[in-house]
Amino acid sequence: MAAIASLECSRCHHHLSAETAQTLCPLCAGSLYVRYDMDKLKKTAKRDEIAARAAASPASLGMWRYACVLPDVTPVTLGEGWTPLLHSKRYPGLYIKEEGANPTGTFKARGLGLAVTMAKHYGLQHLAVPSAGNAAGALAAYSAAADITAHIFMPQDVPFANYLEGIVYGADVTMVDGLISDCARMVAENMKAQKEANTPTSQAWFDISTLKEPFRVEGKKTMGYELVEQLGWQYPDAVFYPTGGGVGLIGMWKAFEEMEQLGWVSGKRPKMYALQASGCAPIAKAYAEHKPASEFFQNAATFAAGLRVPKPYADTIILDIVRESGGSALASPDDQILASILDWAKHEGIFLSPEGAAATAAYDTLIASGELKPTDKVVLFNTGAGLKYTDMTAEAMHLRRPLEKKAALPTSMPVGGIITPQ
Ligand SMILES: [Zn+2]
């Protein structure tokens, strides 16, 4: 494993020690990145030893196969990471990174697996998070595994699975009449009150929000290492990433930079596509308007619950990466997202999350416009299992149990003629 050299501010490049738990840059409130001594790592971290070591050691489970480029700590692990890269049956260049195979059924397991690992290392006992749903579920699970108390705040209309997870894992759950931005405000208010009341450190909450501490990005970077290793240590032409808070996109870009420094990969980095739902598309809007930052997206509404992030904290970093890579940011309406869920389930056997289907819908759009060719090598992230959204997806389809009194199987899907009557 790698000793952390320092934590570096993504905005002003101020360096901090990682000896104690840190949140944001004390000078400019920028997000912090974990930095290692790369010259030293170059000598110790060998790309070609990873597979053999992972096969030989149970401690190299999942994303911990990349322990040589992760902090030197004892992992709190549930087997997150090393998810399948599935080749599309219809598009020769398209691969689906199936993050639904993670514990708690989503990619959130990577970032929160590492963030909770570090929280345990620092001796933190209370972790708080505002969440669109899946981060709350993952935090609840990893906190339970680490014997830490999780305080989770999520909109009251999140997928039912997220509420259930919070309860079964024994978290302190608050359902909020509002959006993730309202949840974030409530976490901040609680923490302010604790500070004013001089709450002892052992009882005070630590805010583990997206990009407000350095280790969720660090865990998510393993997605970048994995996709490159799974493609034979080569970059794809493009990465399609459903973007709510954008941690994974930022983490992958960091992974590419590290891998290049280590000599693990070379060539042109992939074009990064940030995909959103039209009902909440702050990044796509800022991209289209050539703006460096997003504006708060009013009246955010989409059944892709994980994309209901009206103002991502790291919007400027996301937009920089998308533009620097030559990619793009675009949004798809809910009816196209639903149509894409049904298309992929029926034709490929893959039950996408609505967020993943926002990416496949955008893929279809770009294939149709000619910006992409079916042979272009694309890695598209299905960030969660479709089964975590049974209530949302069934509702979008107007589907009820056949035995329910008033129930009737739909005679057609409400997707504006995209899907023919059943
Ligand atoms: Zn700073």
Side-chain angles (χ1 to χ4, degrees):
M1 286 181 172
I4 299 174
S6 67
L7 303 174
E8 183 186 1
C9 175
S10 57
R11 282 187 204 155
C12 75
H13 304 288
H14 176 60
H15 284 260
L16 279 92
S17 162
E19 286 299 305
T20 54
Q22 303 285 356
T23 52
L24 293 166
C25 172
L27 303 182
C28 74
S31 301
L32 300 175
Y33 287 154
V34 179
R35 297 298 187 202
Y36 308 95
D37 180 340
M38 296 309 280
D39 289 332
K40 213 165 158 187
L41 270 196
K42 228 173 165 173
K43 292 181 195 124
T44 55
K46 301 286 181 213
R47 179 188 94 173
D48 298 330
E49 291 171 6
I50 287 172
R53 200 172 43 235
S57 165
S60 298
L61 194 66
M63 72 177 189
W64 292 96
R65 72 194 277 113
Y66 304 109
C68 63
V69 290
L70 290 171
D72 185 9
V73 284
T74 307
V76 175
T77 179
L78 296 169
E80 57 289 339
W82 199 238
T83 55
L85 188 69
L86 304 171
H87 197 182
S88 165
K89 291 168 180 45
R90 295 174 291 174
Y91 306 96
L94 180 58
Y95 295 82
I96 303 292
K97 186 71 173 146
E98 180 50 287
E99 291 292 294
N102 277 299
T104 73
T106 77
F107 69 141
K108 298 282 182 186
R110 298 174 186 266
L112 285 155
L114 187 62
V116 171
T117 289
M118 294 307 296
K120 187 158 179 82
H121 170 74
Y122 290 128
L124 302 172
Q125 289 171 35
H126 290 267
L127 302 175
V129 80
S131 169
N134 284 322
L139 177 63
Y142 284 90
S143 296
D147 197 20
I148 286 172
T149 305
H151 304 272
I152 59 185
F153 291 75
M154 50 190 163
Q156 62 189 9
D157 56 354
V158 289
F160 189 73
N162 296 138
Y163 175 59
L164 182 63
E165 285 176 302
I167 301 297
V168 298
Y169 290 127
D172 167 26
V173 181
T174 305
M175 303 302 277
V176 177
D177 182 10
L179 294 169
I180 187 172
S181 39
D182 301 295
C183 300
R185 186 174 37 78
M186 289 177 73
V187 169
E189 282 168 7
N190 269 280
M191 290 181 61
K192 188 165 171 252
Q194 289 169 9
K195 212 173 172 186
E196 284 165 6
N198 286 320
T199 306
T201 317
S202 62
Q203 292 303 309
W205 295 3
F206 181 85
D207 185 355
I208 204 157
S209 299
T210 300
L211 287 152
K212 291 191 180 169
E213 60 75 53
F215 295 105
R216 284 177 66 180
V217 166
E218 196 60 12
K220 288 261 186 82
K221 86 176 181 184
T222 56
M223 296 193 297
Y225 279 88
E226 277 183 31
L227 75 88
V228 168
E229 181 178 356
Q230 288 173 324
L231 291 174
W233 299 107
Q234 286 187 346
Y235 283 138
D237 297 313
V239 171
F240 273 51
Y241 189 75
T243 303
V247 178
L249 194 119
I250 296 167
M252 282 190 274
W253 201 246
K254 181 178 191 282
F256 298 157
E257 185 186 319
E258 288 178 359
M259 280 189 281
E260 287 167 12
Q261 288 173 2
L262 293 169
W264 289 13
V265 69
S266 58
K268 193 183 171 307
R269 284 193 202 175
K271 293 178 183 176
M272 304 299 279
Y273 286 82
L275 295 327
Q276 302 199 300
S278 304
C280 184
I283 298 293
K285 185 167 179 287
Y287 178 82
E289 293 169 354
H290 307 285
K291 290 186 176 154
S294 68
E295 286 161 24
F296 190 92
F297 199 92
Q298 299 295 338
N299 305 315
T302 167
F303 84 118
L307 300 180
R308 281 194 312 177
V309 181
K311 169 79 181 163
Y313 190 76
D315 54 354
T316 55
I317 307 179
I318 298 165
L319 285 160
D320 279 352
I321 292 171
V322 166
R323 288 182 176 125
E324 190 190 330
S325 71
S328 174
L330 60 161
S332 303
D334 276 13
D335 59 351
Q336 279 182 25
I337 293 174
L338 177 59
S340 204
I341 289 178
L342 300 175
D343 173 48
W344 275 80
K346 284 177 181 169
H347 297 114
E348 305 242 5
I350 296 174
F351 189 174
L352 298 168
S353 61
E355 295 84 0
T360 50
Y363 180 85
D364 289 345
T365 302
L366 294 176
I367 290 284
S369 75
E371 182 173 335
L372 272 180
K373 293 190 291 292
T375 48
D376 287 338
K377 195 177 275 187
V378 174
V379 172
L380 184 150
F381 278 80
N382 180 35
T383 42
L387 285 173
K388 284 200 84 174
Y389 301 79
T390 47
D391 51 338
M392 314 289 269
T393 304
E395 195 183 314
M397 293 169 66
H398 301 296
L399 181 70
R400 289 193 189 148
R401 287 175 196 257
L403 293 179
E404 269 181 33
K405 254 188 179 169
K406 281 187 248 167
L409 280 172
T411 51
S412 66
M413 298 299 173
V415 285
I418 293 168
I419 290 167
T420 52
Q422 303 298 292

